[in-house]
C-alpha cells in the first residue's frame, strides 16, 4: 500500500489499472500483427489472437512453451527466428524478413524488443505479415542475400574439390593393382623422351586393352573383375624385363613402356605376342574357366620433342585398330591407322544419326522357288545412306555396329520396319516370308526370342511370316543357350535358316541336331561349282545331306541361267541372286499380284 | 435436437463435492472448500485474501492478469463456463494437473468468480 493511501484508494487504483489493461488487451486482440511476450529464455507468457492464428494453437496451449518450437519453419526449412540472444545481449531492435512461402508469397517481418526496465528481461516480438506490401527492393535484397549464401556454399565446395584434386595429384599408384597409374606413367614417358636428346634410341609404348572385360564384370561382378585385373597385372609384369615399365591407365587398359631395342617396333611386336601368350593362360572364376585376351597397339618414337600425349594417343589408336583385326590383335601405329580410326569415328557418328533420325533404308531381295519361279521369301537388308546419295556398304558399318553396341538399336530398327512392312504388304502376298539377319550379339542377349515374339504379337503379324537367319559361328559359340532361344522361335512358327553354310567349321553330324529349317549354301560354292570339281562334289553332298535331314536348301549368289538350271537339277528348292533381282527399296511393295497368286496356289497345294 | 446445458451457478458449484474456490472482482480468494484444502494443501488461513494467481503456474500469470482485466473491462472471456485442463500450484509448490471450470456472476453489482478444480490423472494432456 502506498504511503498515505488507504486500502480503498489502492483498490480504486487497481480497478483503474485493470480496466486500462483490459482495454489494451482487447485492442491488441484486434490487430493483424502477431504479438508475443516471452521470458528471457523464450518461454511464452502472453500472445494475442493473431499469434494464436499464426501458430494454429489456442493461447492456453502456447503459454509456457519455448517460442521456437511453436513457429513454422521458413520455406527453405530454416528456422523462422534466429537465436534470440547474442551472448548476453538480446536481439532487441532487430528487424528481419522471413519467408513462409514464395509462391504464393507469404512473408513476415519480425521485430524483437526487450523490456529494459524489467530485470527479468522479457522479450516482445511482433510478427507482421508483409506479403502484400513487400517491395521490389526487399525482394531483390532477399534474392541477393540468397545468392550470397549460394556463392559462399559454392566457394566452400570449390575449395573442397580443389583440395581433393590436389590430394589426388599426389597419388601415383593404381589402388587395385599397385602398378604406376596414368600420372606416374606420364612422368616416366616424359623422362624417357627427354633422355633421347642426349642418347639416341626410341621410346615405345604397348597399349594393352583386355577383350571382353566388361562381360566379366557384368557376369561375375566388380570384385571378380578386380581380381582378374590383379592377375593380369601379375602375368604382364612377369613377362617384362627390368627396364620395362608396366602401368595401369584405368579400366582394363595397361601400358608397357620400353626403351630397349634397335628395331623398336619389331621387338615390341614380339613382346606383345609374348605378353598375349602369358595372358591367355586359363583363369578359373566361380567354376568357369576364362581365357583372357587383349588387343595391343604399338607406337614408337625417336623424336625427343614429341609430346607424351601424342605418343599415348598413337598407341591408343593402334590398339583401336588392333581390336578391329581378327587373329593376333596387335597393330603398330602408322598414319593410315590415324585416318582409318578417324573414318571409323565419322562412320559411327553417321550410323548413330541414321538410327536416331530414322534415316536408314531397308532393301529387300527376292528368294525364289526354283520349281515355279514364284517369290517364296524376301531377305531384308539394311542400308546406310552416305554422303551424295551413296550407300555405305554393310561390310563397313555392320562390324562397327557390333564393336560399338549399336547393333542392338540397328537390329530393333530392322525388326520393327520388317514387321511394319509385313503388316502393310503381307496380306497381299500371302505365303511370302521375310528373312532378317541376326547378329551373334543379339542372339546372345537375355530374352532374345521372347523380345521378338512380343513385337510380333504387338504388331499382329503371323509368326510364320518371319525367318531368322543365323550363322554357324553363333551356334558353335554357345550351342545350348542359342539352340534353346531358336527353338522358342520355331515353336511359335518362326523359321530359322542357317546362313553362309559351307564356309564355317560345322561337322555334318552336328548339323542334324541344330534347330533349323533351311540351309543357305554360301555363294562361293555356286560361283565356283563349274570350275572346281571338288567344290562341285561338296555342293552336291551338302544338298543331299540337307534333303536327307528334311531341310530346305537355298542356293545363294545365282547369277546366270546356267547356275539356276544346275541348282534346280541338284534339287535345291530355293535360290537367291542377281539372276532373280537385286536388292531394292521397292521390292516388297511392288511384289506382283501374279506372284502372290502363284504363292497362294502353292500354299493351297501344300 | 439436444439442448445447450445451462451454466451452473456458483452456489451449485460450491455445494458439490469437488475442490472449489471463490474469488472477488479484484482476483482475491474469498473462500475455498475442504475438498480444495485436501486436494491442494492450501488452507483458508493461508490463501484467503491472497491473489488467485498464487495457485497458477508462473507461465500463466501474465495471461491470467490480462485476461482477468479484459473480462472486467469488456465482459468478454474465452475461458468461462467450459472445462479447461490446467496446472494448479499446491501449497508445497508442487503442481497438479486439474480440470478448471470457472463461472462468473454479479453479486450486488460486483463480479465474483467461482471455480471447481478437479485433479486429473497426470497422464491426461493439458488443453
Amino acid at each position: 500500500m502506498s504511503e498515505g493511501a488507504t486500502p480503498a484508494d489502492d483498490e480504486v487504483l487497481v480497478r483503474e489499472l485493470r480496466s486500462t489493461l483490459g482495454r489494451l488487451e482487447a485492442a491488441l486482440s484486434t490487430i493483424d500483427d502477431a504479438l508475443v511476450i516471452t521470458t528471457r529464455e523464450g518461454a511464452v507468457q502472453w500472445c494475442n489472437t493473431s499469434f494464436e492464428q499464426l501458430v494454429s494453437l489456442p493461447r492456453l496451449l502456447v503459454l509456457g512453451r519455448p517460442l521456437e518450437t511453436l513457429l513454422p519453419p521458413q520455406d527453405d526449412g530454416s528456422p523462422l527466428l534466429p537465436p534470440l540472444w547474442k551472448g548476453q545481449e538480446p536481439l532487441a531492435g532487430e528487424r528481419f524478413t522471413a519467408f513462409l512461402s514464395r509462391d504464393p508469397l507469404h512473408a513476415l517481418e519480425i521485430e524483437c524488443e526487450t523490456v529494459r526496465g524489467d530485470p527479468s528481461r522479457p522479450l516482445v516480438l511482433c510478427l507482421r505479415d508483409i506479403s502484400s506490401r513487400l517491395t521490389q527492393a526487399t525482394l531483390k535484397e532477399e534474392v541477393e542475400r540468397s545468392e550470397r549464401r549460394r556463392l559462399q556454399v559454392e566457394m566452400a565446395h570449390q575449395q573442397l574439390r580443389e583440395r581433393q584434386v590436389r590430394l589426388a595429384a599426389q597419388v601415383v599408384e593404381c589402388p587395385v593393382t599397385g602398378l604406376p597409374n596414368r600420372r606416374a606413367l606420364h612422368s616416366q614417358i616424359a623422362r624417357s623422351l627427354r633422355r633421347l636428346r642426349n642418347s639416341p634410341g626410341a621410346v615405345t609404348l604397348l597399349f594393352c586393352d583386355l577383350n571382353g572385360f566388361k562381360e566379366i564384370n557384368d557376369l561375375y561382378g566388380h570384385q571378380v573383375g578386380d581380381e582378374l585385373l590383379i592377375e593380369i597385372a601379375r602375368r604382364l609384369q612377369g613377362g617384362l624385363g627390368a627396364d620395362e615399365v608396366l602401368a595401369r591407365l584405368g579400366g582394363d587398359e595397361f601400358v608397357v613402356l620400353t626403351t630397349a631395342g634397335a628395331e623398336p617396333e619389331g621387338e615390341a611386336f614380339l613382346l606383345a605376342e609374348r605378353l598375349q601368350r602369358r595372358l591367355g593362360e586359363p583363369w578359373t572364376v566361380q567354376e568357369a574357366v576364362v581365357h583372357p585376351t587383349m588387343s595391343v597397339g604399338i607406337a614408337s618414337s625417336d623424336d625427343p620433342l614429341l609430346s607424351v600425349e601424342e605418343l599415348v594417343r598413337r598407341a591408343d589408336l593402334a590398339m583401336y585398330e588392333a581390336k578391329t583385326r581378327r587373329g593376333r590383335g596387335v597393330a603398330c601405329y602408322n598414319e593410315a591407322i590415324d585416318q582409318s580410326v578417324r573414318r571409323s569415328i565419322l562412320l559411327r557418328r553417321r550410323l548413330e544419326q541414321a538410327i536416331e533420325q530414322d534415316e536408314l533404308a531397308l532393301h529387300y531381295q527376292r528368294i525364289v522357288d526354283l520349281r515355279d519361279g514364284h517369290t517364296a521369301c524376301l531377305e531384308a537388308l539394311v542400308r546406310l545412306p552416305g554422303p551424295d546419295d551413296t550407300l555405305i556398304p554393310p561390310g563397313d558399318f555392320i562390324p562397327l555396329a557390333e564393336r560399338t553396341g549399336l547393333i542392338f538399336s540397328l537390329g530393333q530398327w530392322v525388326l520393327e520396319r520388317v514387321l511394319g512392312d509385313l503388316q502393310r504388304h503381307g496380306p497381299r502376298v500371302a505365303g511370302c516370308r521375310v528373312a532378317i539377319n541376326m547378329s551373334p550379339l543379339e542372339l546372345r542377349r537375355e530374352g532374345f526370342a521372347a523380345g521378338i515374339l512380343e513385337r510380333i504379337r504387338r504388331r499382329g503379324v503371323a509368326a510364320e511370316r518371319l525367318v531368322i537367319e543365323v550363322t554357324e559361328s553363333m551356334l558353335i559359340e554357345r550351342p545350348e543357350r542359342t539352340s534353346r532361344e531358336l527353338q522358342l522361335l520355331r515353336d511359335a512358327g518362326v523359321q530359322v535358316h542357317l546362313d553362309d553354310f559351307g564356309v564355317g567349321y560345322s561337322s555334318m553330324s552336328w548339323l542334324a541336331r541344330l534347330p533349323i529349317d533351311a540351309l543357305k549354301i554360301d555363294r562361293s560354292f555356286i560361283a565356283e561349282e563349274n570350275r572346281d570339281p571338288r567344290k562341285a562334289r561338296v555342293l552336291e553332298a551338302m544338298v543331299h545331306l540337307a534333303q536327307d535331314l528334311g531341310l530346305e536348301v537355298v542356293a545363294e549368289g545365282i547369277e546366270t541361267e546356267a547356275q539356276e538350271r544346275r541348282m534346280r537339277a541338284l534339287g535345291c528348292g530355293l535360290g537367291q541372286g542377281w539372276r532373280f533381282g537385286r536388292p531394292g527399296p521397292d521390292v516388297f511393295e511392288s511384289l506382283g499380284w501374279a506372284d502372290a497368286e502363284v504363292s497362294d496356289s502353292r500354299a493351297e497345294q501344300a | 435436437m439436444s439442448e445447450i446445458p445451462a451454466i451452473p451457478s456458483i452456489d451449485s458449484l460450491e455445494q458439490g463435492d469437488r475442490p472449489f474456490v471463490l474469488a472477488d472482482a479484484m482476483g482475491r480468494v474469498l473462500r475455498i472448500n475442504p475438498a480444495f484444502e485436501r486436494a491442494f494443501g492450501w488452507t483458508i488461513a493461508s490463501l484467503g485474501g491472497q491473489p488467485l494467481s498464487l495457485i497458477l503456474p508462473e507461465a500463466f500469470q501474465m495471461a491470467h492478469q490480462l485476461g482477468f482485466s479484459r473480462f472486467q473491462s469488456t465482459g468478454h472471456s474465452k475461458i468461462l463456463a467450459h472445462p479447461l485442463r490446467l496446472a494448479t500450484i499446491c501449497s508445497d509448490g508442487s503442481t497438479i494437473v486439474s480440470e478448471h471450470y470457472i463461472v462468473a456472476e454479479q453479486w450486488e453489482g460486483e463480479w465474483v468468480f467461482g471455480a471447481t478444480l478437479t485433479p486429473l490423472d497426470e497422464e491426461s494432456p493439458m488443453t
Side-chain angles (χ1 to χ4, degrees):
Chain A
M1 194 189 305
S2 52
E3 196 181 337
T6 65
D9 292 337
D10 282 351
E11 195 169 316
V12 168
L13 184 61
V14 170
R15 279 177 191 278
E16 282 177 1
L17 286 174
R18 276 202 185 286
S19 174
T20 306
L21 282 174
R23 283 177 206 159
L24 280 174
E25 216 264 356
L28 292 175
S29 73
T30 63
I31 65 171
D32 290 333
D33 294 354
L35 293 172
V36 59
I37 300 175
T38 72
T39 63
R40 175 194 161 89
E41 291 76 25
V44 175
Q45 292 188 302
W46 173 86
C47 67
N48 71 351
T49 309
S50 291
F51 185 83
E52 291 179 83
Q53 287 165 355
L54 176 68
V55 300
S56 305
L57 287 171
R59 188 188 295 179
L60 285 176
L61 287 189
V62 166
L63 296 173
R65 286 177 62 182
L67 181 60
E68 70 267 18
T69 64
L70 298 168
L71 294 170
Q74 294 204 64
D75 65 337
D76 60 1
S78 61
L80 196 70
L81 284 179
L84 291 173
W85 289 81
K86 288 179 185 167
Q88 291 299 307
E89 284 305 306
L91 211 60
E94 297 262 354
R95 180 183 292 200
F96 42 91
T97 305
F99 289 85
L100 293 176
S101 143
R102 312 248 166 185
D103 189 18
L105 184 65
H106 189 185
L108 297 176
E109 182 183 74
I110 303 170
E111 270 185 90
C112 182
E113 286 295 342
T114 182
V115 184
R116 294 192 181 275
D118 187 332
S120 67
R121 307 294 297 274
L123 297 170
V124 181
L125 286 103
C126 174
L127 299 96
R128 186 172 298 126
D129 189 335
I130 53 165
S131 310
S132 59
R133 60 186 177 85
L134 200 59
T135 62
Q136 193 65 29
T138 315
L139 279 174
K140 196 177 163 201
E141 192 181 304
E142 175 62 25
V143 167
E144 284 169 359
R145 197 164 33 231
S146 299
E147 181 63 13
R148 277 199 299 277
R149 272 201 299 268
R150 191 185 66 76
L151 286 174
Q152 280 168 356
V153 170
E154 206 165 85
M155 197 176 289
H157 280 176
Q158 178 66 22
Q159 285 168 352
L160 194 63
R161 270 200 300 274
E162 284 170 3
R163 187 152 175 264
Q164 284 172 334
V165 169
R166 278 199 303 277
L167 286 173
Q170 294 165 16
V171 177
V172 291
E173 193 180 282
C174 159
V176 176
T177 59
L179 293 175
N181 66 6
R182 182 185 293 270
R183 185 168 300 103
L185 176 72
H186 271 227
S187 306
Q188 292 266 16
I189 299 171
R191 265 199 300 279
S192 302
L193 285 169
R194 273 199 304 273
R195 272 193 218 117
L196 293 179
R197 291 175 189 166
N198 302 321
S199 54
V203 178
T204 306
L205 299 185
L206 287 80
F207 200 114
C208 309
D209 188 280
L210 299 184
N211 300 323
F213 179 67
K214 186 178 177 302
E215 274 186 25
I216 290 175
N217 256 343
D218 292 346
L219 264 175
Y220 303 109
H222 286 276
Q223 197 180 334
V224 169
D226 283 355
E227 284 171 22
L228 178 60
L229 288 175
I230 293 167
E231 176 63 16
I232 299 291
R234 198 184 62 75
R235 290 182 184 187
L236 294 179
Q237 189 75 69
L240 296 176
D243 295 338
E244 290 156 339
V245 176
L246 176 67
R248 181 178 168 226
L249 289 197
D252 54 355
E253 293 173 345
F254 293 82
V255 169
V256 175
L257 163 66
T258 174
T259 52
E263 294 287 339
E265 286 189 355
E267 289 181 27
F269 205 94
L270 294 176
L271 174 60
E273 288 188 328
R274 200 163 65 238
L275 293 176
Q276 281 180 323
R277 279 196 299 275
R278 287 186 65 84
L279 190 80
E281 293 293 312
W283 187 67
T284 306
V285 51
Q286 293 174 9
E287 296 173 3
V289 177
V290 176
H291 291 270
T293 62
M294 65 180 184
S295 303
V296 184
I298 296 169
S300 189
S301 176
D302 56 5
D303 178 2
L305 298 178
L306 190 75
S307 72
V308 174
E309 288 74 18
E310 176 58 17
L311 190 58
V312 173
R313 189 188 74 88
R314 288 179 182 181
D316 189 9
L317 286 185
M319 186 280 294
Y320 193 87
E321 175 68 15
K323 276 228 186 274
T324 65
R325 291 183 183 173
R326 290 178 189 278
R328 278 184 297 209
V330 183
C332 290
Y333 172 82
N334 57 49
E335 282 182 10
I337 283 181
D338 222 339
Q339 286 171 4
S340 147
V341 170
R342 198 162 291 131
R343 267 201 309 275
S344 279
I345 291 167
L346 290 176
L347 183 58
R348 178 186 176 151
R349 280 194 202 140
R350 175 70 197 112
L351 183 58
E352 280 171 341
Q353 182 195 2
I355 294 170
E356 276 170 23
Q357 298 178 10
D358 197 22
E359 291 171 353
L360 292 164
L362 197 64
H363 289 190
Y364 289 99
Q365 188 177 26
R366 296 169 66 208
I367 298 174
V368 301
D369 190 321
L370 294 175
R371 290 153 290 211
D372 60 16
H374 89 275
T375 305
C377 187
L378 294 169
E379 182 175 356
L381 300 157
V382 66
R383 297 290 183 254
L384 174 62
D388 306 327
D389 291 334
T390 57
L391 289 176
I392 297 168
D396 284 358
F397 70 87
I398 297 287
L400 180 128
E402 289 183 330
R403 283 201 305 277
T404 56
L406 286 170
I407 195 71
F408 299 113
S409 318
L410 192 63
Q412 285 180 8
W413 184 91
V414 171
L415 180 61
E416 278 300 320
R417 179 59 68 91
V418 163
L419 293 175
D421 285 349
L422 272 170
Q423 251 183 335
R424 266 191 304 281
H425 312 305
R428 187 164 46 80
V429 286
C432 179
R433 298 170 186 266
V434 178
I436 297 176
N437 291 283
M438 282 293 154
S439 154
L441 292 174
E442 290 176 277
L443 197 50
R444 271 190 234 155
R445 222 176 190 189
E446 196 70 37
F448 161 77
I452 291 181
L453 294 175
E454 172 59 22
R455 280 167 190 269
I456 290 174
R457 189 192 58 74
R458 249 189 283 150
R459 284 282 192 166
V461 171
E464 290 74 13
R465 307 297 295 271
L466 200 65
V467 175
I468 299 295
E469 290 192 7
V470 296
T471 58
E472 290 170 83
S473 63
M474 299 186 198
L475 300 171
I476 291 167
E477 280 171 19
R478 298 189 184 187
E480 283 181 16
R481 182 170 162 187
T482 311
S483 296
R484 202 167 51 238
E485 290 289 316
L486 292 177
Q487 193 54 51
L488 282 174
L489 291 175
R490 294 182 76 218
D491 291 345
V494 176
Q495 279 202 357
V496 177
H497 291 186
L498 189 59
D499 205 5
D500 303 332
F501 184 72
V503 293
Y505 307 98
S506 319
S507 76
M508 293 296 175
S509 62
W510 182 66
L511 199 58
R513 299 204 303 271
L514 291 180
I516 55 173
D517 301 281
L519 290 180
K520 291 187 81 175
I521 295 175
D522 188 71
R523 61 181 61 244
S524 60
F525 288 93
I526 285 83
E528 294 169 26
E529 183 260 347
N530 62 349
R531 292 198 301 269
D532 185 342
R534 295 176 74 176
K535 275 210 160 176
R537 295 286 86 74
V538 174
L539 175 62
E540 275 178 34
M542 286 194 293
V543 173
H544 292 147
L545 178 71
Q547 284 169 340
D548 289 347
L549 293 172
L551 301 173
E552 185 74 88
V553 178
V554 185
E556 290 185 281
I558 297 178
E559 294 181 3
T560 64
E561 191 185 347
Q563 286 171 337
E564 182 191 347
R565 274 201 309 273
R566 173 74 181 137
M567 291 306 119
R568 193 184 299 118
L570 267 179
C572 285
L574 301 170
Q576 181 179 6
W578 289 3
R579 163 87 180 138
F580 311 109
R582 298 193 175 205
D586 306 323
V587 172
F588 201 167
E589 204 172 339
S590 59
L591 207 56
W593 288 97
D595 201 288
E597 281 162 13
V598 172
S599 142
D600 285 343
S601 62
R602 185 170 169 265
E604 279 164 19
Q605 285 163 14
Chain B
M1 193 169 77
S2 62
E3 285 184 13
I4 298 169
I7 298 170
S9 67
I10 288 179
D11 277 342
S12 66
L13 293 184
E14 191 169 11
Q15 284 159 21
D17 53 4
R18 297 179 178 207
F20 173 82
V21 60
L22 183 72
D24 67 9
M26 297 294 286
R28 286 175 302 215
V29 174
L30 295 176
R31 292 200 293 268
I32 56 175
N33 68 357
F36 188 94
E37 290 182 339
R38 281 194 299 279
F40 304 109
W42 296 99
T43 61
I44 189 59
S46 59
L47 202 57
Q50 297 298 318
L52 199 53
S53 57
L54 268 184
I55 64 167
L56 294 175
E58 192 180 345
F60 285 70
Q61 291 192 1
M62 183 185 289
H64 159 72
Q65 297 292 4
L66 287 167
F68 204 80
S69 303
R70 182 178 172 181
F71 175 73
Q72 290 183 334
S73 175
T74 64
H76 175 72
S77 170
K78 288 181 185 173
I79 63 164
L80 290 177
H82 62 88
L84 309 164
R85 281 188 175 78
L86 294 169
T88 306
I89 305 294
C90 302
S91 62
D92 63 0
S94 63
T95 302
I96 291 179
V97 177
S98 39
E99 186 183 86
H100 293 207
Y101 187 90
I102 310 167
V103 172
E105 287 177 6
Q106 280 204 316
W107 289 358
E108 297 170 356
E110 288 285 338
W111 285 106
V112 289
F113 303 89
T116 55
L117 290 75
T118 312
L120 295 171
D121 177 355
E122 285 204 24
E123 295 298 312
S124 305
M126 303 236 291
T127 57

